[in-house]
Amino acid sequence: MRAGTARLLLAAPLLAALLAGCGIRPTEVPTDFGAAPSRVPCSLAGPDAATQSAHGVPVQVFLLCGSSLVAVDRSVRVPDGTPDARRRVIVAQGLLDQLASSPSAAEKSAGYTTYVPGGVSVAGPGPKDPEDALRLSTAPDRLTSYALGQLVCTLSDSAATEGDGSVILGGPRPGPLRRYECTDDVRSRPGSVQPPTGAVDAG
């Protein structure tokens, strides 16, 4: 009886090891009991040379990975001596172009994508607009929730704005201007949470 018990005790660790070996490997990101857990690692093995440059202003843009917005490094070229007002528009257009570009092969492999459409241009404020306003060729409310979240979070903490977590956006004049904010909820759930917004007097 004692010999049988000993054999069972010795076999237990081996059985546990075999069962563990047949199980599901752990995911690379934490999961929870909310929305369907993402199996996308959302991380690159190293700097992506295809999307970075040794020249230009270092910036970050927000791409969609899984169900969240994740910042990735980019750069925007700005000519030396550019006046501040013009510099803001150049940076904003550069960021918009980066968002509209297809992610690199390495980013696609890691699960990144973008919803910002191509062909959208940006201009500085009109004669009676606040000096930090940016006007798009497409009204912001015509963008999808994902695209608007990407745009707001990218612009709101960049050299194109005041860097206070918000950005004043509008469509072509004389359309209204609104201040949009990038929040933790927007970054984590851009498909269901719209950036908080408030009216701005365009004069």
Side-chain angles (χ1 to χ4, degrees):
M1 188 68 174
R2 289 180 179 175
T5 301
R7 282 194 295 271
L8 287 174
L9 292 174
L10 289 172
L14 178 60
L15 181 60
L18 289 172
L19 290 174
C22 296
I24 300 174
R25 287 178 292 182
T27 58
E28 296 188 40
V29 293
T31 59
D32 53 33
F33 295 99
S38 171
R39 291 175 291 178
V40 180
C42 295
S43 62
L44 299 171
D48 188 0
T51 58
Q52 296 186 9
S53 170
H55 305 287
V57 178
V59 295
Q60 287 189 322
V61 299
F62 280 85
L63 301 181
L64 190 73
C65 193
S67 59
S68 304
L69 295 180
V70 181
V72 297
D73 295 325
R74 291 286 193 273
S75 64
V76 173
R77 292 180 179 274
V78 180
D80 292 338
T82 302
D84 287 346
R86 181 58 184 158
R87 178 187 179 90
R88 290 180 56 253
V89 176
I90 291 175
V91 171
Q93 185 64 63
L95 291 170
L96 190 58
D97 292 343
Q98 292 282 357
L99 287 171
S101 299
S102 178
S104 69
E107 290 168 345
K108 287 181 180 178
S109 178
Y112 289 90
T113 188
T114 183
Y115 280 80
V116 176
V120 180
S121 61
V122 60
K128 296 184 179 181
D129 294 345
E131 63 179 10
D132 56 344
L134 295 170
R135 285 193 173 272
L136 307 177
S137 58
T138 297
D141 59 11
R142 295 179 65 86
L143 299 173
T144 67
S145 178
Y146 286 118
L148 183 59
Q150 285 184 256
L151 189 62
V152 169
C153 287
T154 296
L155 291 174
S156 63
D157 194 22
S158 73
T161 60
E162 298 298 319
D164 62 353
S166 70
V167 58
I168 298 176
L169 294 175
R173 285 184 61 84
L177 292 170
R178 300 190 70 84
R179 182 180 292 276
Y180 296 85
E181 295 181 36
C182 176
T183 64
D184 289 341
D185 284 342
V186 172
R187 287 189 290 267
S188 62
R189 293 179 293 158
S192 59
V193 177
Q194 291 276 356
T197 180
V200 173
D201 184 7

